[in-house]
Amino acid sequence: SADDELSLLVIVVDVNPIWWGQQAQKEPEFTLSKCMDAVMVMSNTHLVMTRSNKLAIIASHCQESHFLYPSKHWKAGDFAGDESSCGSRDGKYELLTVGNDLITEEIKNLMERTEVRGHQTETLLAGSLAKALCYIHRVTKELEAGQEMKSRILVIKAAGDSALQYMNFMNVIFAAQKQSILIDACVLDADSGLLQQACDITGGLYLKVPQKIALAQYLLWVFLPDTDQRSQLVLPPPVHVDYRAACFCHRNLIEIGYVCSVCLSIFCNFSPICTTCETAFKIALPPAMKAKKKKLKPTT
Amino acid sequence: MATSSEEVLLVVKRVRQKKQDGALYLMAERVAWAPEGKDRFSVSHLYADIRCQKISPDGKSKIQLQLVLHTGETTNFHFTSESSAVKDRDAAKDLLQQLLPKFKKKANKELEEKNRMLQEDPLLFQLYKDLVVSQVISAEEFWANRVSMNSVDHSLTNSKQEVGISAAFLADVRPQTDGCNGLRYNLTSDIIESIFRTYPAVKQKYGENVPHNLTEKEFWTRFFQSHYFHRDRISTGSQDLFAECGKLDEQGLKSMVGQGVRNPMVDLTSLEDKSLDEGYGISSGPSTSSHSKTLKENSNAAIIKRFNHHSAMVLATGLCRQDAQNEQNGETSSTDGNSKDSDFFQPSMKKVKLKESIEYTDLEQENGRKAVTLNLKKSDRYSHGPTLVQCQQYATSQDIINSVNCIRHEMANYTPRLTQVLSSSTASTAIAALSPGGVLMQGGTQQAINQMVPNDVQCELKHLYVAAGELLRHFWSCFPVNTPFLEEKVVKMRSNLERFQVTKLCPFQEKMQQQYLSTNLTGHLEEMLQIAYNKFHTWQTRRMLRKT
């Protein structure tokens, strides 16, 4: 029944330092701090909705994917004896206090160890999603007999798509679909075709926020309800996804093309040799019409 | 009136039909009835149209004959002659009985097939109604494709498996005592057929004697009474019909034994020891010729012989059906699994058979087939896959350094301020955008078309699509136009499509307009038809150019 079903929410936050650094210079009202605040509000709300709800937060950096929550260093009861951070200072639910402190500490450590590397400027989103799937898988295996769990992944995306991660991304999407894991996407800047596809395939919601400073409101309104509740609510309609493939030779979007049966590469024109795997092909041409000999009609 | 060339086979006067007196005429190809005093036939049916005839039961006062047509119609004829009504009716019935089967097979099968197809497939029936009944295309065109498709099916279903004969069929005829010292045997046609198939001799006797000498009932009574049927067959030499059968059976059994077993795999007699000479082993004398058998042994031997013979005959019916038809005497066909061809059991075949039975392919060693490896020259294409070239945001190294420093600085001083995440004004603008009618909700509240259009309109649209699809399929299958037949067909299909548009599509559109349905449901259909028209037009102009 719905009461016995656990709900696991994994939030994957894009903390690309280059994008956020530029953002801080462009729009000082909305910086990574504000974003992390909004994420924390969202995660607290999720944990408070039902006692059995579970949560995980992964920071997707350009050099690593790091779990902000739950942390390896945290064991329940760790902070009990520590005076400085003992208990909740503002009467908040203990779990939330501890969680927020952990997240803060982890994100600070993460950004501190950021190094300047010119060649690594893109968010490792596919890797973070893969870690999220593995975490979900682990938690599923650790469930008690008879317990069921529904999981979803919420991606908060800042920087642009990484073209080189395409294959890994698609693999992650299909794996999530197989496991019935929803992928929701909340996009801050540019539209992401890959995430649109992910949401369409897994059944999640895609939203491009018009106002970044109201991020918390969007997260709570659109992404907090789980699948069962979403069917009862009026939420933004699904985005039309352009599934057209681009040919390998020109990278143009095509509707009808030729596919090599050996290596599955897509081409817009027929060529007798596939340029990717060098297989030779023959195509049957329509039968050539022979020129008919015209019979000279006798003139009467 | 009957044409002069029609041969009248039988005329029956004093026949009433629909309370009118008249005469019934049975001709070579049809049956007709004319009222009294008139020349013209008011009722006429071809024998091919008649499915069956029925007669009123014997005891009834009204002596009637009913003709049932394929279409389900019935016509009743009442024979009113005072003296010979029954005779007349029977004469008519007998003649019809002879004539009907001749005409039956020709038209029956096809019509039945078509009816069956229409009944089984409601979609097909609907299509038929839409296209043929409303005169868009003719019935022949409709059936042209489909009958050919299904005649293959039919021949496949014809080759059903024959039902075999149970070996206990005679024992299953359990007699019941009918009170006073008699036995009652219930014979069904299945049992009779089994007896005939297993014992062709009995069938022969039946053919000879029934119905000339004996009725069926008498024949079977004699059969069950005779010792032929009984357990202990004592050949009394009486005037039993079946004494001959007994002798034939004995002969048959002897010939079977004489044939011996050809298949060396099941030949038990070859396993006996063969002696060279006296003193060098056991001499295997013939086991059947033994004089000093007791009476009991003799009767046992008789029963065993009968069992063997019976089983052999039952097997024979299953094995060689063609042989049984070709040859008169069923016993000469190979009855015990022997192949007719003795070469079949040469030593080489024997070796192959032995090998087959001792070797199992999955227990053998695996010989893996070598697969061709994939040879990719440009594997980097897969890293980005079939995606558009994205214009990458280019950041200068100075930008990068600046950004990283900035963010590190910011996060070093980060403390969450969860009470100041959102101001109420921003929150309310966000909520406004997310409410129905807001910026983000455009295009979501459209109702699905199937909720806006009534069900009957949807049904009709589906039927239109199916019918249009069928016509378009015929049309497009004509291209490329190679033969004159296809040329004609394509012209005909074009006119059919036009007729379809006029008779079906336009009324539907008008109906929709009357119902104020604003959605354009027929746009796609019209588009498809237009493409077909364009294609026809280009083909026609090209044809004209070629001719001139």
Side-chain angles (χ1 to χ4, degrees):
Chain A
S1 73
D3 300 329
D4 300 335
E5 220 170 42
L6 302 177
S7 174
L8 170 60
L9 171 66
V10 182
I11 306 180
V12 176
V13 189
D14 180 359
V15 295
N16 192 328
I18 298 153
W19 191 88
W20 282 108
Q22 289 173 337
Q23 171 69 15
Q25 289 160 22
K26 273 191 297 186
E27 264 183 76
E29 330 72 73
F30 185 74
T31 60
L32 184 56
S33 323
K34 284 272 177 196
C35 180
M36 288 314 297
D37 287 347
V39 169
M40 267 194 245
V41 166
M42 166 82 175
S43 48
N44 290 351
T45 322
H46 175 78
L47 286 172
V48 162
M49 293 277 281
T50 312
R51 278 200 65 113
S52 58
N53 275 358
K54 292 178 190 278
L55 175 73
I57 304 183
I58 303 176
S60 189
H61 199 269
C62 43
Q63 288 152 11
E64 61 180 297
S65 304
H66 184 75
F67 270 87
L68 298 178
Y69 180 93
S71 164
K72 287 184 197 169
H73 312 296
W74 176 52
K75 285 185 189 71
D78 228 3
F79 295 100
D82 199 344
E83 275 183 14
S84 54
S85 48
C86 162
S88 156
R89 292 171 292 278
D90 50 359
K92 213 173 15 217
Y93 176 31
E94 288 286 338
L95 178 64
L96 301 183
T97 315
V98 169
N100 291 348
D101 288 342
L102 269 175
I103 294 171
T104 315
E105 194 180 316
E106 291 291 339
I107 188 78
K108 278 168 130 169
N109 291 342
L110 175 65
M111 297 320 265
E112 213 178 287
R113 16 177 225 273
T114 308
E115 293 162 16
V116 178
R117 287 188 202 159
H119 52 282
Q120 283 173 348
T121 57
E122 292 184 329
T123 321
L124 299 174
L125 193 54
S128 313
L129 285 174
K131 274 199 175 177
L133 287 180
C134 290
Y135 180 76
I136 293 172
H137 185 77
R138 169 154 77 87
V139 174
T140 318
K141 288 277 180 277
E142 287 175 355
L143 287 176
E144 288 165 16
Q147 271 186 331
E148 285 181 14
M149 188 169 79
K150 269 202 175 153
S151 5
R152 60 189 202 273
I153 302 177
L154 168 61
V155 180
I156 300 177
K157 191 149 197 309
D161 272 343
S162 167
L164 295 170
Q165 292 176 21
Y166 173 80
M167 275 300 170
N168 301 335
F169 216 98
M170 297 311 286
N171 285 339
V172 163
I173 294 172
F174 289 120
Q177 187 202 22
K178 272 267 161 67
Q179 302 284 317
S180 317
I181 297 171
L182 259 63
I183 298 183
D184 296 322
C186 183
V187 174
L188 299 175
D189 193 9
D191 267 320
S192 159
L194 287 174
L195 277 177
Q196 281 179 347
Q197 285 192 39
C199 298
D200 196 43
I201 291 174
T202 55
L205 273 173
Y206 178 91
L207 183 70
K208 178 173 178 325
V209 257
Q211 268 184 304
K212 296 205 246 316
I213 42 176
L215 177 66
Q217 184 60 56
Y218 290 112
L219 288 178
L220 291 174
W221 185 277
V222 180
F223 296 108
L224 186 62
D226 62 23
T227 340
D228 301 330
Q229 295 158 3
R230 280 182 202 182
S231 54
Q232 318 284 333
L233 301 171
V234 180
L235 291 172
V239 184
H240 173 76
V241 186
D242 188 356
Y243 275 112
R244 282 181 299 172
C247 63
F248 278 41
C249 33
H250 310 104
R251 308 283 294 276
N252 294 333
L253 290 177
I254 51 175
E255 280 165 16
I256 300 178
Y258 295 84
V259 179
C260 170
S261 50
V262 176
C263 62
L264 298 181
S265 25
I266 302 171
F267 300 103
C268 46
N269 277 321
F270 171 73
S271 77
I273 299 184
C274 168
T275 42
T276 319
C277 64
E278 300 201 337
T279 320
F281 286 103
K282 267 188 274 188
I283 195 164
L285 297 166
M289 303 276 286
K290 291 186 192 161
K292 290 191 183 149
K293 288 187 186 167
K294 286 201 174 167
K295 286 189 184 163
L296 296 173
K297 284 193 183 157
T299 52
T300 48
Chain B
M1 201 47 202
T3 57
S4 50
S5 57
E6 266 190 294
E7 180 199 337
V8 178
L9 297 169
L10 180 65
V11 179
V12 184
K13 297 237 171 17
R14 310 291 299 266
V15 176
R16 293 192 90 183
Q17 200 259 348
K18 290 215 173 109
K19 309 245 163 91
Q20 260 193 317
D21 279 324
L24 186 68
Y25 295 84
L26 283 135
M27 265 126 14
E29 287 190 359
R30 59 178 178 144
V31 54
W33 177 88
E36 190 91 27
K38 297 228 180 106
D39 272 347
R40 311 191 115 262
F41 288 132
S42 59
V43 175
S44 158
H45 298 297
L46 288 173
Y47 292 132
D49 290 337
I50 300 177
R51 193 165 74 196
C52 64
Q53 57 167 339
K54 295 186 190 168
I55 56 173
S56 52
D58 283 334
K60 285 229 164 149
S61 57
K62 256 185 162 188
I63 298 166
Q64 290 185 319
L65 177 79
Q66 189 185 65
L67 296 175
V68 184
L69 304 181
H70 286 306
T71 56
E73 263 179 62
T74 57
T75 318
N76 280 332
F77 296 107
H78 180 201
F79 294 80
T80 51
S81 158
E82 283 116 19
S83 48
S84 56
V86 181
K87 234 178 27 172
D88 288 339
R89 196 268 311 273
D90 285 342
K93 177 196 102 174
D94 288 335
L95 190 57
L96 275 175
Q97 227 174 6
Q98 290 171 20
L99 292 169
L100 279 181
K102 291 189 209 158
F103 294 88
K104 216 180 189 181
K105 284 183 183 159
K106 292 180 201 166
N108 204 1
K109 244 193 180 175
E110 272 184 48
L111 259 181
E112 234 181 62
E113 184 65 36
K114 289 179 187 174
N115 275 336
R116 189 183 61 86
M117 273 172 33
L118 284 180
Q119 273 169 16
E120 279 178 1
D121 190 1
L123 266 182
L124 190 66
F125 190 48
Q126 182 64 39
L127 194 62
Y128 186 79
K129 270 201 287 190
D130 280 339
L131 293 178
V132 177
V133 177
S134 59
Q135 307 269 329
V136 178
I137 61 175
S138 68
E140 291 101 43
E141 281 176 7
F142 181 78
W143 289 111
N145 252 8
R146 292 176 202 273
V147 177
S148 58
M149 281 196 307
N150 272 30
S151 59
V152 180
D153 251 343
H154 202 61
S155 57
L156 284 175
T157 55
N158 261 344
S159 56
K160 282 185 273 197
Q161 275 188 323
E162 302 271 352
V163 179
I165 300 178
S166 146
F169 67 86
L170 274 180
D172 283 340
V173 185
R174 286 192 199 92
Q176 300 157 341
T177 50
D178 68 356
C180 42
N181 223 21
L183 289 172
R184 200 183 160 78
Y185 287 87
N186 273 331
L187 273 185
T188 63
S189 56
D190 274 341
I191 297 178
I192 294 179
E193 202 198 315
S194 311
I195 295 177
F196 284 163
R197 271 165 74 178
T198 317
Y199 295 108
V202 175
K203 188 170 182 182
Q204 224 179 356
K205 287 284 174 189
Y206 182 84
E208 284 166 14
N209 289 316
V210 173
H212 319 285
N213 300 340
L214 308 161
T215 63
E216 229 179 297
K217 202 167 164 193
E218 277 178 26
F219 178 80
W220 289 116
T221 320
R222 290 241 201 139
F223 176 76
F224 285 117
Q225 279 175 348
S226 80
H227 278 288
Y228 180 70
F229 177 68
H230 276 208
R231 205 179 75 135
D232 308 316
R233 261 197 217 165
I234 308 162
S235 46
T236 54
S238 64
Q239 298 145 342
D240 196 355
L241 263 182
F242 299 98
E244 213 182 298
C245 290
K247 290 194 190 118
L248 281 172
D249 283 349
E250 282 263 349
Q251 285 174 359
L253 191 59
K254 279 210 178 103
S255 68
M256 264 193 262
V257 171
Q259 270 180 358
V261 182
R262 286 201 208 122
N263 187 349
M265 300 289 192
V266 299
D267 190 3
L268 290 177
T269 54
S270 63
L271 294 177
E272 288 176 350
D273 291 334
K274 303 250 170 26
S275 64
L276 290 173
D277 202 351
E278 269 204 48
Y280 288 91
I282 310 161
S283 62
S284 59
S287 49
T288 46
S289 66
S290 174
H291 307 287
S292 56
K293 273 195 186 161
T294 62
L295 190 65
K296 199 177 173 192
E297 275 181 20
N298 262 332
S299 60
N300 284 346
I303 295 179
I304 292 174
K305 254 203 273 184
R306 270 198 73 196
F307 273 138
N308 288 338
H309 177 70
H310 176 78
S311 309
M313 299 302 280
V314 169
L315 278 178
T317 60
L319 285 174
C320 314
R321 294 212 54 76
Q322 287 156 357
D323 289 357
Q325 284 162 13
N326 292 340
E327 298 170 17
Q328 289 243 341
N329 218 350
E331 286 98 326
T332 57
S333 61
S334 52
T335 55
D336 46 2
N338 284 341
S339 163
K340 292 213 109 186
D341 190 8
S342 54
D343 294 338
F344 195 65
F345 294 108
Q346 288 293 313
S348 56
M349 287 303 299
K350 192 175 170 186
K351 194 177 180 186
V352 167
K353 280 202 161 192
L354 279 173
K355 237 187 166 185
E356 273 175 23
S357 49
I358 57 173
E359 287 178 351
Y360 288 97
T361 47
D362 25 340
L363 296 181
E364 305 276 340
Q365 275 197 343
E366 282 274 344
N367 321 338
R369 275 185 306 155
K370 288 207 184 118
V372 183
T373 50
L374 185 61
N375 177 23
L376 291 175
K377 294 290 176 210
K378 294 196 182 158
S379 53
D380 53 309
R381 281 181 175 175
Y382 291 99
S383 59
H384 56 71
T387 51
L388 280 177
V389 183
Q390 307 276 355
C391 46
Q392 297 284 31
Q393 299 280 348
Y394 181 71
T396 62
S397 23
Q398 194 56 46
D399 277 341
I400 295 175
I401 299 171
N402 287 349
S403 312
V404 173
N405 288 338
C406 179
I407 197 76
R408 280 169 77 170
H409 180 75
E410 179 197 327
M411 290 315 276
N413 304 328
Y414 169 59
T415 41
R417 279 193 286 266
L418 297 183
T419 51
Q420 290 156 25
V421 172
L422 206 55
S423 75
S424 47
S425 51
T426 42
S428 35
T429 27
I431 292 176
L434 287 168
S435 310
V439 172
L440 295 170
M441 303 295 280
Q442 297 299 331
T445 48
Q446 255 181 3
Q447 275 182 306
I449 263 194
N450 67 346
Q451 288 168 358
M452 292 206 298
V453 172
N455 267 340
D456 54 343
V457 173
Q458 285 183 39
C459 267
E460 220 183 300
L461 186 66
K462 275 188 216 167
H463 292 319
L464 276 178
Y465 260 97
V466 172
E470 179 69 17
L471 290 174
L472 284 170
R473 182 173 70 85
H474 278 284
F475 177 81
W476 287 107
S477 66
C478 299
F479 290 95
V481 182
N482 296 331
T483 65
F485 168 72
L486 285 177
E487 278 182 29
E488 277 174 38
K489 188 172 177 197
V490 98
V491 172
K492 222 176 0 160
M493 287 319 296
R494 165 75 161 83
S495 56
N496 284 343
L497 284 173
E498 265 179 9
R499 223 181 338 187
F500 171 77
Q501 195 171 18
V502 166
T503 51
K504 293 271 174 170
L505 202 51
C506 292
F508 180 72
Q509 280 172 324
E510 279 163 21
K511 198 171 85 163
M512 289 226 306
Q513 275 172 1
Q514 281 171 8
Q515 290 184 9
Y516 307 112
L517 286 170
S518 56
T519 46
N520 184 7
L521 293 173
T522 55
H524 180 237
L525 269 177
E526 285 176 344
E527 209 183 296
M528 288 201 291
L529 289 173
Q530 192 56 43
I531 294 176
Y533 295 151
N534 291 346
K535 175 75 180 175
F536 181 78
H537 183 71
T538 47
W539 172 77
Q540 213 174 27
T541 44
R542 224 180 279 160
R543 193 159 147 248
M544 297 298 183
L545 284 174
R546 247 189 285 148
K547 280 191 175 169
T548 55

